[in-house]
Amino acid sequence: MEEDNAAGPSKKALKKAEAKAKKEALKAQRAAERVATQVSNIELEDDPAKDNYGAVANPTFSADAEEVELRDLDESYDGKKVVIRAWLQNSRTQSAKMGFVELRKGGNWTIQGLVLATITGTGTESQLPAEGTPVISRRMVKFITAINPESFIAVEAQVKRPLEPVKSCRISTLELHITKAFVLAAAPPVLGMTMAASSQPVANFSDEEPKAEEEVKKEPEAEGGIPAASMLTHLDNIAMHKRAPVQQAIADIRIEVKRLFRSYLEERRFKEFEPPCLIGAASEGGANVFRLAYFGQEAFLAQSPQFYKQFEIAGGRERVFSIGPVFRAENSNTPRHMTEFTGLDLEMEIKHSYTEVISVLEGVLLHILRGLRERCADEIQVVRSVYPSEDFLLPEPGKEVRLNFAEAQKLLREEGPEEFRNVRDDEDMSTAQEKALGAVVRAKYNTDFYVLDKFPETARPFYAKVDDAGTTVGDNVRVTNAFDFFLRGQEVLSGGQRINDPKELEERIRAKGVDPNSEGIKEYLTTFRQVGVPPHGGGGIGLDRVVAWFLALPSVHLAAFYPRTPKRLLP
Amino acid sequence: MEEDNAAGPSKKALKKAEAKAKKEALKAQRAAERVATQVSNIELEDDPAKDNYGAVANPTFSADAEEVELRDLDESYDGKKVVIRAWLQNSRTQSAKMGFVELRKGGNWTIQGLVLATITGTGTESQLPAEGTPVISRRMVKFITAINPESFIAVEAQVKRPLEPVKSCRISTLELHITKAFVLAAAPPVLGMTMAASSQPVANFSDEEPKAEEEVKKEPEAEGGIPAASMLTHLDNIAMHKRAPVQQAIADIRIEVKRLFRSYLEERRFKEFEPPCLIGAASEGGANVFRLAYFGQEAFLAQSPQFYKQFEIAGGRERVFSIGPVFRAENSNTPRHMTEFTGLDLEMEIKHSYTEVISVLEGVLLHILRGLRERCADEIQVVRSVYPSEDFLLPEPGKEVRLNFAEAQKLLREEGPEEFRNVRDDEDMSTAQEKALGAVVRAKYNTDFYVLDKFPETARPFYAKVDDAGTTVGDNVRVTNAFDFFLRGQEVLSGGQRINDPKELEERIRAKGVDPNSEGIKEYLTTFRQVGVPPHGGGGIGLDRVVAWFLALPSVHLAAFYPRTPKRLLP
């Protein structure tokens, strides 16, 4: 046996090795097949359909095929040859000869495609189809149905009516009979988050990385066994997060809010301006402000465009608005907070009364809320299919609800929950009080949108103008011409009349315990002394909150393009 | 004499004292008169016209007077009674009975007002006018003509045609016969910068505070003896800076650029999005980036929305644009630089070629430039009256100029100034070269707008896609599908096709000497690996530069609402 050993391996060992080699060859062959059916390095030399599929960056299509977007496909395309670029969302193999795919583009436009081999028989017995018929091989069918989901592909196809409507697709009365298919950008075999998971409601919004064991518990399976993912998983898979129709719809609604805000104001002669983000002094108090080194000085990130809006008024711009980022260095890890968010701000000259400002703000918010219902009905439905919500109740024109702060507190004491029986008219509301009030107002006035006016001066900043009539509440606290607006019991807007007289302003700055000669404040005050500044007022709307609370989303983070929280700055 | 002294002062001394007292009384009286003719604490008890003027926060007007904005006044108002709110720009006294004022509102809408006493005679002999005639006293005339310039006032007046057109006012064929005048917000007696000074070209843009002696030299008097002010003085008097018609016009033009950008893209299905300002890693290299403490981590201010635009494409948004602030921590004190400016960015899927991106960008810029000429003709003229410039030459439709980088360098070598005889095709251009090329192109092609394409890879970041054809220039340097756009020889846009294949991207990242596992880069690269990303490209436009170079302003700082420079963050 030693000889055998010396001469070579035993028969048994040989057999073993042979079996192993065969196994490995088989494995390699299968791997090769997998590769071949995927996107690159495919060996097509012997396939008569080889020019009709593959991973080709710049494929060519038939001259008579029309390039068209999925959303533009309608009955008029029936029978026509088209080229479609889209995400391959799903695929299945019906048989060796036939496969189905689902293509998606433009948010949630989906259509069914099918591919049917036209080469009959297999191997050496295969026969090409008649002249003029597209050449489609079984390998092509296999290739198409094996494309990794979420790859970006281009297909040439004939548009046809399906035998019966394809219920699973938005475009249900047409389907694509695919004759060419090219992978333009391949997704990997395994996605970090599938489209199905991405389309589930976000499981939790905690900023903390979960421990391995918790992970399992925290990502409960929804109906149909599709696991929901945490917000962290969504952010770690930002492209998949964004591709989900629900996020596409939220983004589209967000854009529409901005568009409605802008168009309403521009029609009323408001002019856009751009306040700076980098400022030389912490404008409204030093708390919650980001600081940075700035060429040997210190700079701050603006917490609001307040002072700059007022400079525009002082500068004769009459009515201005701005849309831009504002920053709060607040370590609040709640569904209502972000460290960077988008402010929709306006400021205007006042002719007779600050109620002119309320009317414009009420007007613009109602324009937004009514406009969304009209223009984004589809998108709202898509969002609701994932995050169910009750219809947002809007007041009938002329029946808008404006309550004074003291009236609202009285309502809360009398009709709100037990715990708010002693709320005071001279102290600001808590978030819990606001929500409770929202429920009371909804029940009483049948609206999810209302205004609270005449906040006590204790609850407002130094620039808020005190009520001319000298009205006081509670413990002799004066009320201001300042107000908040609410959606579903949550604040989305703060505004009011500002002090425009420099003496009055200085007095209020001192009364609030602020040094009128401190940096930033001094320059602010100086502007009022340098020139006459007309009476004016305005307000700031939190865009993210308007979107989130209108849609009753569980977190404002879902409304943002890239939510910034104290623990998360990626991506 | 000593007794006299003891008993009291001498007659001489008494006379002296009396004269002194009289003088002081007179002084006091004059001071009192000055105060009286100004804005507050006026004693009007004995003036029959007392209800028709004064410093009154909320004055009342005749019920039949129509509130109207200056810009809306036209011939149809001839003979009508109106209420106008405006800045008192100038005034002069014609006689004790008659005064003139110039009112301004809405940028540069000006009109002449006149006030004529209707009470005849003086003192006890004065007689009220006939019933139905407005009661206007000499004191009222005095009050009105003594109002400090740049105060915000409200007048009631009858609109009439003047005897001859008032050439000094924009509304020259109407004037206001003032019957009531109230100061709503008083300017101080001395302005930090007068409207005349504010309307002069800015004398210098240095960020350094001038020494006292230099100040005089550095602020030369312009024609008519009106002193021009430095940019620092303008910024120290921000309201007066903004009130000048030239700055109002620049601001209006800037707004129109944004509007034209947005409308062109929205018509072509681009969707707006908002990239974050706060980011977790210095996205495009660590130089020139602002850093800040962020809850125990470090955060950075975005230098461009580049990565985020690409994430939107990866996320299936197809065509996106953004308008927002970007930040550069660059210690450059030049008329071309700011530390915060507004980027107009877009990114789009590419179907066949990156020239689709050039076409969209060329389209949007031409839409902006042509749109400005049509919609802002008045504003352009106002700007030119202060900052003269030659007409901006636009190419005729279909004759747009696109040069390859190498062609441009050849042009510069052959037709440019002596000093650029040896410029290389594989090295980026300097600002001086760009300007020289601008002059050559203008002379040769009669356009101030053109595109340079196919920059060498040495001049572009790692995400720039290298030309498929493998074209090289100079010392075997490959060219990219990347381009710059120029206005009057100055760059306003950079763009190109981006790499969408993760392998190719990683290779280019390494080739540029960047670690693909470094923070920010890793997450960027990961996104391309996580999902298929379609071919795409885009560009970024500097809004401030488009405004400044279109108008041929001496500094980009004039185009910004609140220019941020290394030395200046106020206001």
Coordinates of all heavy atoms in Angstrom, one line a residue, chain B residues 368-415:
Chain B
I368 N -33.2 81.7 -19.4 CA -33.0 82.7 -18.4 C -32.5 84.0 -19.0 O -33.0 85.1 -18.8 CB -31.9 82.2 -17.3 CG1 -32.5 81.1 -16.5 CG2 -31.4 83.4 -16.5 CD1 -31.5 80.3 -15.6
L369 N -31.5 83.9 -19.9 CA -30.9 85.1 -20.4 C -31.8 85.9 -21.3 O -31.9 87.1 -21.3 CB -29.5 84.8 -21.1 CG -28.5 84.2 -20.2 CD1 -27.3 83.6 -21.1 CD2 -27.9 85.2 -19.2
R370 N -32.5 85.1 -22.2 CA -33.5 85.7 -23.1 C -34.7 86.2 -22.2 O -35.2 87.3 -22.5 CB -34.0 84.7 -24.1 CG -32.9 84.3 -25.1 CD -33.4 83.6 -26.3 NE -32.3 83.2 -27.2 CZ -32.0 82.0 -27.5 NH1 -32.7 81.0 -27.1 NH2 -30.9 81.8 -28.3
G371 N -35.1 85.5 -21.3 CA -36.2 85.9 -20.4 C -35.9 87.2 -19.7 O -36.8 88.0 -19.5
L372 N -34.7 87.3 -19.2 CA -34.4 88.6 -18.5 C -34.5 89.8 -19.4 O -35.0 90.8 -19.0 CB -32.9 88.5 -17.9 CG -32.7 87.5 -16.8 CD1 -31.2 87.6 -16.3 CD2 -33.6 87.9 -15.6
R373 N -34.0 89.6 -20.6 CA -34.1 90.7 -21.5 C -35.5 91.1 -21.8 O -35.9 92.3 -21.9 CB -33.4 90.4 -22.9 CG -31.9 90.3 -22.8 CD -31.3 90.8 -24.0 NE -31.6 89.9 -25.1 CZ -30.9 89.7 -26.2 NH1 -29.7 90.3 -26.3 NH2 -31.2 88.9 -27.2
E374 N -36.4 90.1 -21.9 CA -37.8 90.4 -22.1 C -38.6 91.0 -20.9 O -39.3 91.9 -20.9 CB -38.6 89.1 -22.5 CG -38.5 88.9 -24.0 CD -39.1 87.5 -24.3 OE1 -40.1 87.1 -23.7 OE2 -38.5 86.8 -25.2
R375 N -38.4 90.3 -19.8 CA -39.2 90.5 -18.6 C -38.6 91.6 -17.7 O -39.3 92.2 -16.8 CB -39.4 89.3 -17.8 CG -40.0 88.1 -18.5 CD -40.5 87.1 -17.5 NE -40.7 85.8 -18.1 CZ -41.0 84.7 -17.4 NH1 -41.2 84.9 -16.1 NH2 -41.2 83.6 -18.0
C376 N -37.3 91.9 -17.8 CA -36.7 92.8 -16.8 C -36.0 94.0 -17.5 O -35.0 94.5 -17.1 CB -35.6 92.0 -16.0 SG -36.3 90.7 -14.9
A377 N -36.6 94.4 -18.7 CA -36.0 95.5 -19.4 C -35.8 96.7 -18.6 O -34.8 97.4 -18.6 CB -36.8 95.7 -20.7
D378 N -36.9 97.0 -17.8 CA -36.8 98.2 -16.9 C -35.7 98.1 -15.9 O -35.0 99.0 -15.7 CB -38.2 98.4 -16.2 CG -39.3 98.9 -17.1 OD1 -38.9 99.3 -18.3 OD2 -40.4 98.9 -16.7
E379 N -35.7 96.9 -15.2 CA -34.7 96.7 -14.2 C -33.3 96.8 -14.7 O -32.4 97.3 -14.1 CB -35.0 95.4 -13.5 CG -36.2 95.3 -12.6 CD -37.5 95.1 -13.4 OE1 -37.5 94.9 -14.6 OE2 -38.6 95.2 -12.8
I380 N -33.1 96.2 -15.9 CA -31.8 96.2 -16.5 C -31.3 97.7 -16.7 O -30.2 98.0 -16.5 CB -31.7 95.4 -17.8 CG1 -31.9 93.9 -17.4 CG2 -30.4 95.6 -18.6 CD1 -32.1 93.0 -18.7
Q381 N -32.3 98.5 -17.2 CA -32.0 99.9 -17.4 C -31.6 100.6 -16.2 O -30.7 101.4 -16.1 CB -33.2 100.5 -18.1 CG -32.8 101.6 -19.1 CD -34.0 102.1 -19.9 OE1 -35.0 101.4 -20.1 NE2 -34.0 103.4 -20.2
V382 N -32.3 100.3 -15.1 CA -32.0 101.0 -13.8 C -30.6 100.6 -13.4 O -29.8 101.4 -12.9 CB -33.1 100.5 -12.7 CG1 -32.6 101.0 -11.3 CG2 -34.4 101.1 -13.0
V383 N -30.3 99.3 -13.5 CA -28.9 98.9 -13.1 C -27.9 99.6 -14.0 O -26.9 100.1 -13.4 CB -28.8 97.3 -13.2 CG1 -27.4 96.9 -12.9 CG2 -29.8 96.6 -12.3
R384 N -28.2 99.7 -15.2 CA -27.2 100.3 -16.2 C -27.0 101.8 -15.9 O -25.9 102.3 -16.2 CB -27.6 100.1 -17.6 CG -27.3 98.7 -18.1 CD -27.4 98.7 -19.6 NE -27.1 97.3 -20.0 CZ -27.5 96.8 -21.1 NH1 -28.3 97.5 -21.9 NH2 -27.2 95.5 -21.4
S385 N -28.0 102.4 -15.4 CA -27.9 103.8 -15.1 C -26.9 104.1 -14.0 O -26.3 105.1 -13.8 CB -29.3 104.4 -14.7 OG -29.6 104.0 -13.4
V386 N -26.6 103.0 -13.2 CA -25.6 103.1 -12.1 C -24.3 102.4 -12.5 O -23.2 102.9 -12.3 CB -26.1 102.6 -10.8 CG1 -25.1 102.6 -9.7 CG2 -27.4 103.3 -10.4
Y387 N -24.5 101.2 -13.1 CA -23.4 100.3 -13.5 C -23.5 100.1 -15.0 O -24.1 99.2 -15.5 CB -23.3 99.0 -12.8 CG -23.2 99.1 -11.3 CD1 -24.2 99.0 -10.4 CD2 -21.9 99.4 -10.8 CE1 -24.1 99.1 -9.0 CE2 -21.7 99.5 -9.4 CZ -22.8 99.4 -8.5 OH -22.6 99.5 -7.2
P388 N -22.9 101.1 -15.8 CA -23.0 101.0 -17.2 C -22.4 99.6 -17.8 O -21.5 99.1 -17.2 CB -22.2 102.1 -17.8 CG -22.0 103.0 -16.6 CD -22.0 102.2 -15.4
S389 N -23.1 99.1 -18.8 CA -22.5 97.8 -19.4 C -23.0 97.7 -20.8 O -24.0 98.4 -21.2 CB -23.0 96.6 -18.6 OG -24.4 96.5 -18.7
E390 N -22.2 97.0 -21.6 CA -22.6 96.7 -22.9 C -23.7 95.6 -23.0 O -23.8 94.8 -22.1 CB -21.4 96.1 -23.7 CG -20.4 97.2 -24.1 CD -19.3 96.6 -25.0 OE1 -19.6 96.2 -26.1 OE2 -18.2 96.6 -24.6
D391 N -24.5 95.7 -24.0 CA -25.6 94.7 -24.2 C -25.0 93.3 -24.1 O -23.9 93.0 -24.7 CB -26.2 94.8 -25.6 CG -27.6 95.5 -25.4 OD1 -28.2 95.5 -24.3 OD2 -28.1 96.0 -26.5
F392 N -25.7 92.4 -23.5 CA -25.2 91.0 -23.4 C -25.5 90.3 -24.7 O -26.7 90.3 -25.1 CB -25.9 90.3 -22.2 CG -25.3 88.9 -22.0 CD1 -24.3 88.8 -21.0 CD2 -25.7 87.8 -22.7 CE1 -23.8 87.5 -20.8 CE2 -25.2 86.6 -22.5 CZ -24.2 86.4 -21.5
L393 N -24.5 89.9 -25.4 CA -24.7 89.2 -26.7 C -25.1 87.8 -26.6 O -24.4 87.0 -26.0 CB -23.4 89.3 -27.5 CG -22.9 90.7 -27.9 CD1 -21.6 90.6 -28.7 CD2 -24.0 91.4 -28.8
L394 N -26.3 87.5 -27.1 CA -26.8 86.1 -27.1 C -26.7 85.5 -28.5 O -26.9 86.2 -29.5 CB -28.3 86.1 -26.6 CG -28.5 86.3 -25.1 CD1 -29.9 86.6 -24.8 CD2 -28.1 84.9 -24.5
P395 N -26.4 84.2 -28.5 CA -26.4 83.6 -29.9 C -27.8 83.4 -30.4 O -28.7 83.3 -29.7 CB -25.8 82.2 -29.5 CG -26.2 81.9 -28.1 CD -26.2 83.3 -27.4
E396 N -27.9 83.5 -31.7 CA -29.2 83.3 -32.4 C -29.5 81.8 -32.2 O -28.6 81.0 -32.1 CB -29.1 83.5 -33.9 CG -29.1 85.0 -34.2 CD -28.8 85.2 -35.7 OE1 -29.4 84.5 -36.5 OE2 -27.9 86.1 -36.0
P397 N -30.8 81.5 -32.1 CA -31.2 80.1 -31.9 C -30.6 79.2 -33.0 O -30.6 79.6 -34.2 CB -32.8 80.2 -32.0 CG -33.1 81.6 -31.6 CD -32.0 82.4 -32.1
G398 N -30.0 78.1 -32.6 CA -29.4 77.2 -33.5 C -27.9 77.6 -33.8 O -27.2 76.8 -34.4
K399 N -27.5 78.8 -33.3 CA -26.1 79.1 -33.5 C -25.3 79.2 -32.2 O -24.4 80.0 -32.0 CB -26.0 80.5 -34.2 CG -26.6 80.4 -35.6 CD -26.1 81.6 -36.5 CE -26.5 81.4 -37.9 NZ -26.2 82.6 -38.7
E400 N -25.8 78.4 -31.2 CA -25.1 78.3 -29.9 C -23.6 77.8 -30.1 O -23.4 77.0 -31.0 CB -25.8 77.4 -29.0 CG -27.2 77.9 -28.5 CD -28.3 77.6 -29.6 OE1 -28.0 76.9 -30.5 OE2 -29.4 78.2 -29.4
V401 N -22.7 78.4 -29.4 CA -21.3 78.0 -29.5 C -20.9 77.0 -28.5 O -21.0 77.2 -27.3 CB -20.4 79.2 -29.4 CG1 -18.9 78.8 -29.4 CG2 -20.7 80.2 -30.5
R402 N -20.5 75.8 -29.0 CA -19.9 74.8 -28.1 C -18.5 74.4 -28.6 O -18.4 74.0 -29.8 CB -20.8 73.5 -28.2 CG -22.1 73.6 -27.6 CD -22.8 72.2 -27.6 NE -24.2 72.3 -27.3 CZ -25.1 71.3 -27.3 NH1 -24.7 70.1 -27.7 NH2 -26.4 71.5 -27.0
L403 N -17.6 74.7 -27.8 CA -16.2 74.3 -28.2 C -15.6 73.3 -27.3 O -15.9 73.2 -26.1 CB -15.3 75.6 -28.0 CG -15.6 76.8 -28.9 CD1 -14.8 78.0 -28.4 CD2 -15.3 76.5 -30.4
N404 N -14.8 72.4 -27.9 CA -14.1 71.5 -27.0 C -13.0 72.2 -26.3 O -12.5 73.2 -26.8 CB -13.5 70.3 -27.8 CG -14.6 69.2 -28.1 OD1 -15.7 69.4 -27.6 ND2 -14.3 68.3 -28.9
F405 N -12.6 71.7 -25.1 CA -11.6 72.4 -24.4 C -10.3 72.6 -25.2 O -9.7 73.7 -25.2 CB -11.3 71.6 -23.1 CG -10.3 72.2 -22.2 CD1 -10.7 73.1 -21.2 CD2 -9.0 71.8 -22.2 CE1 -9.8 73.6 -20.3 CE2 -8.0 72.4 -21.4 CZ -8.5 73.3 -20.4
A406 N -9.9 71.5 -25.9 CA -8.7 71.6 -26.7 C -8.8 72.7 -27.8 O -7.9 73.4 -28.1 CB -8.4 70.2 -27.3
E407 N -10.0 72.7 -28.4 CA -10.3 73.7 -29.5 C -10.1 75.1 -28.9 O -9.6 76.0 -29.5 CB -11.7 73.6 -30.0 CG -11.9 72.4 -30.9 CD -13.4 72.2 -31.2 OE1 -14.3 72.9 -30.6 OE2 -13.7 71.3 -32.0
A408 N -10.6 75.3 -27.7 CA -10.6 76.6 -27.0 C -9.2 77.0 -26.7 O -8.8 78.2 -26.9 CB -11.5 76.6 -25.8
Q409 N -8.4 76.0 -26.2 CA -7.0 76.4 -25.9 C -6.2 76.7 -27.2 O -5.4 77.6 -27.2 CB -6.3 75.2 -25.2 CG -6.9 74.9 -23.8 CD -6.6 75.9 -22.8 OE1 -7.0 77.1 -22.9 NE2 -5.8 75.6 -21.8
K410 N -6.6 76.0 -28.3 CA -5.9 76.3 -29.6 C -6.3 77.8 -30.0 O -5.4 78.5 -30.4 CB -6.4 75.3 -30.6 CG -5.8 75.4 -32.0 CD -6.0 74.1 -32.8 CE -5.4 74.2 -34.2 NZ -6.3 74.8 -35.2
L411 N -7.5 78.1 -29.8 CA -8.0 79.4 -30.2 C -7.2 80.5 -29.3 O -6.8 81.5 -29.9 CB -9.5 79.5 -29.8 CG -10.4 80.4 -30.6 CD1 -10.3 80.2 -32.1 CD2 -11.8 80.3 -30.1
L412 N -7.1 80.2 -28.1 CA -6.4 81.1 -27.2 C -4.9 81.2 -27.6 O -4.3 82.3 -27.6 CB -6.5 80.5 -25.7 CG -6.3 81.5 -24.6 CD1 -7.2 82.7 -24.8 CD2 -6.6 80.8 -23.3
R413 N -4.3 80.1 -27.9 CA -2.9 80.2 -28.4 C -2.7 81.0 -29.7 O -1.8 81.8 -29.8 CB -2.4 78.7 -28.7 CG -2.0 77.9 -27.4 CD -1.2 76.7 -27.8 NE -2.0 75.7 -28.6 CZ -2.7 74.7 -28.1 NH1 -2.8 74.5 -26.8 NH2 -3.4 73.9 -28.9
E414 N -3.7 80.8 -30.6 CA -3.6 81.4 -31.9 C -4.1 82.8 -32.0 O -3.6 83.7 -32.7 CB -4.3 80.5 -32.9 CG -3.5 79.2 -33.1 CD -4.3 78.3 -34.1 OE1 -5.4 78.6 -34.6 OE2 -3.7 77.2 -34.4
E415 N -5.2 83.1 -31.2 CA -5.8 84.4 -31.4 C -5.9 85.2 -30.1 O -6.4 86.3 -30.0 CB -7.2 84.2 -31.9 CG -7.2 83.5 -33.3 CD -8.6 83.4 -33.9 OE1 -9.5 84.2 -33.7 OE2 -8.8 82.4 -34.6

